[in-house]
Amino acid sequence: MIKITFLLCLITFAFASDFTSLKYQSQKRSSKLNQIWGEVTKNTSSAKFPSPVGLLLESMSPTLDHVADQLPEGRSKKVHSVGSVAKAEFIAEKNFYTGFFQGADSLIIRFSLAKEPDYTHKQSIDAHDNFVPGIALKFLIDGQPSANLFAMHGVNGVYSYNFFDLDFNNHIPQPEGLQLKVVADKFSTGTKIVQFLGLRKFSEHTQDGKPVPNPNFPYMLTFKPYQYVKDFFTPDYTEDYKEILKKIPSGTLLFEVYATLSPTQTCKQKIGDIRTTSEITPSYFGDTELFFQHQDFTHDLEVHPEWEPYTPYWNLIGNKSAKQKESKCPFSNLFI
Ligand SMILES: *[C@@H]1O[C@H](CO)[C@@H](O)[C@H](O)[C@H]1NC(C)=O
Ligand SMILES: CC(=O)N[C@H]1CO[C@H](CO)[C@@H](O)[C@@H]1O
C-alpha cells in the first residue's frame, strides 16, 4: 500500500510541470497560464543562439504534429531561438468569427528574431536581412490543447531596428536570401505550405472549452502595432530589442488585430486589440522549452477548398506560383 502511494506520488510529481500530458491539457486556462508563467519567470536570462546547421539535422514533423506547450524531449529551437515573453489578452470587437475571435484572456506572446542579429552595423538600413522580427501567440483553452500562431512581416525583415516598424501577418511573402530559403526548404519536408499558418484551430473552441458548432475563421490575421508602441524604438540600433521591450508596462495595448476574410475579399476588418497583462521579459524557459505548434494551413483548406488556388506551395526549386489575391473591398471603412 505504501509502495503504491509512493508510486502515485512519483507519478503526480513527474507530471507537475509537464506541459505535454493529458492531465495538464485538461486543466483550466488560468491554471495552465500560471504554470507557464511560473516557468517563464524562473530564469529571465536568455539562451544563446544555436548554430542554424542544427535545423537541417532534425525532422520537421514534430513542429507540426506535437500538441503541447513544451518542446518535445531533446529538441531545441533552431530558428527564433531567443526572445521575450509576455502574458496578454485579446479584447474582441464585434465580428462574426468564432472561438478565440470573440475574446481571450489567457494568451502567451513571444517576441523573437528569426536569426542572430549582427549589431555591429547600427544604421536602420543594416537591419535588412539581419534584424528579422516575429511574434508567436498561444491561446490557452480550458480542457483543450492551445491554439498557436506565428506572424512576421517577411522573413527577411525590415529596413529598421524598430521591432514594431511594420505589421505582422500570419501569411508571409516568399523568403529571399539563401539562408532563409534553406529554412523554407527544410520546413517543406513537414508541409508544402510554408508561407501560411492556419487559423482553424483558433475558431473551434471558446476559451472556456466549449466546442463551437459552426466554426468560422478568417483567411489571414494582421497585427498592427500602435504608434506609441513603435515610439519605444528608433530606426537605428541603440540597444537590444529585449531591453527595450522591458520598458513597455503591463496593460499596454500593443496591436490592433485585423482579419482578412478570404483571398478574394482582402480588405482588413478590425476585430480587436491585443493588450499585455504582464511585463515583457526575456526567459530561459521561453527560449529552450516553450513550444508554439505550427498550425498547418492544409487544415484550413479542408474547410475552404476555394482558397487553394491562392496558396503558394514551396518546393526545393522555389514555389508553385499561386493565383494573385484580389483586393476587393465591399465597405469603405475597411482598408487593404
Ligand atoms: C539561467 O540561465 C542561464 C542561461 O542563459 C544560465 O547560465 C544560468 O545558470 C541560469 N540560472 C539559474 C539560476 O538557473
Ligand atoms: C522561384 C519562383 O518560382 N518564384 C515565384 C513564386 O511565386 C510568385 C508568385 O506567386 C512569383 O512571382 C515568383 O517568381
Side-chain angles (χ1 to χ4, degrees), residues 12-317:
T12 318
F13 181 74
F15 284 141
S17 72
D18 164 13
F19 299 99
T20 312
S21 65
L22 265 180
K23 185 166 189 280
Y24 165 75
Q25 298 293 13
S26 64
Q27 295 171 29
K28 294 263 185 226
R29 63 187 186 279
S30 56
S31 160
K32 292 191 271 194
L33 185 70
N34 287 341
Q35 290 170 63
I36 293 175
W37 193 245
E39 292 298 322
V40 162
T41 50
K42 242 181 207 167
N43 185 344
T44 55
S45 53
S46 296
K48 288 200 170 32
F49 276 93
S51 144
V53 176
L55 177 74
L56 305 179
L57 300 177
E58 67 182 18
S59 157
M60 245 16 246
S61 31
T63 313
L64 294 152
D65 303 337
H66 184 62
V67 181
D69 294 328
Q70 190 171 15
L71 278 164
E73 188 91 33
R75 258 179 99 87
S76 62
K77 293 183 193 184
K78 301 300 189 302
V79 285
H80 292 277
S81 325
V82 178
S84 295
V85 185
K87 293 192 281 187
E89 61 185 340
F90 173 61
I91 307 153
E93 282 182 15
K94 197 170 187 300
N95 70 77
F96 57 77
Y97 303 110
T98 58
F100 164 85
F101 302 101
Q102 292 304 317
D105 58 19
S106 302
L107 306 178
I108 294 277
I109 304 195
R110 185 161 178 269
F111 307 80
S112 62
L113 301 179
K115 56 179 181 174
E116 186 166 20
D118 173 3
Y119 288 142
T120 53
H121 303 284
K122 297 185 169 30
Q123 295 207 317
S124 56
I125 187 147
D126 304 314
H128 187 68
D129 203 9
N130 173 28
F131 184 81
V132 186
I135 58 170
L137 188 145
K138 181 180 288 300
F139 166 43
L140 292 165
I141 307 170
D142 289 356
Q144 293 289 329
S146 60
N148 299 271
L149 66 78
F150 291 83
M152 295 179 81
H153 172 62
V155 281
N156 298 91
V158 296
Y159 290 92
S160 172
Y161 282 108
N162 186 337
F163 193 93
F164 296 115
D165 189 49
L166 293 173
D167 300 350
F168 296 85
N169 296 299
N170 69 322
H171 293 190
I172 56 167
Q174 215 199 316
E176 292 164 27
L178 184 63
Q179 201 184 339
L180 291 163
K181 280 201 168 132
V182 166
V183 172
D185 283 348
K186 181 60 198 181
F187 227 88
S188 68
T189 59
T191 172
K192 289 295 167 210
I193 307 169
V194 299
Q195 291 167 245
F196 293 3
L197 286 161
L199 295 173
R200 179 176 172 182
K201 204 165 173 196
F202 280 82
S203 69
E204 293 177 330
H205 289 92
T206 61
Q207 61 175 347
D208 41 20
K210 289 197 190 72
V212 173
N214 294 303
N216 196 0
F217 54 92
Y219 177 62
M220 181 177 88
L221 284 184
T222 301
F223 299 85
K224 197 176 174 57
Y226 274 98
Q227 185 59 45
Y228 55 81
V229 178
K230 294 178 194 259
D231 290 346
F232 278 90
F233 289 82
T234 53
D236 292 342
Y237 174 82
T238 50
E239 59 181 328
D240 184 65
Y241 76 101
K242 296 192 294 305
E243 293 305 312
I244 301 172
L245 291 177
K246 283 181 188 170
K247 299 171 192 166
I248 298 177
S250 174
T252 300
L253 284 174
L254 283 184
F255 303 112
E256 295 181 284
V257 182
Y258 288 83
T260 299
L261 178 68
S262 76
T264 51
Q265 296 281 321
T266 56
C267 21
K268 296 177 170 66
Q269 177 204 2
K270 183 165 178 194
I271 59 166
D273 289 292
I274 298 276
R275 179 162 64 194
T276 58
T277 56
S278 75
E279 67 278 24
I280 306 175
T281 176
S283 165
Y284 189 70
F285 177 82
D287 293 347
T288 58
E289 296 283 341
L290 185 62
F291 179 66
F292 295 86
Q293 189 191 9
H294 279 69
Q295 243 81 74
D296 195 339
F297 192 71
T298 313
H299 302 308
D300 293 30
L301 290 179
E302 285 163 10
V303 179
H304 288 289
E306 75 280 10
W307 294 352
E308 206 273 343
Y310 301 89
T311 307
Y313 288 82
W314 187 262
N315 61 53
L316 294 182
I317 41 166

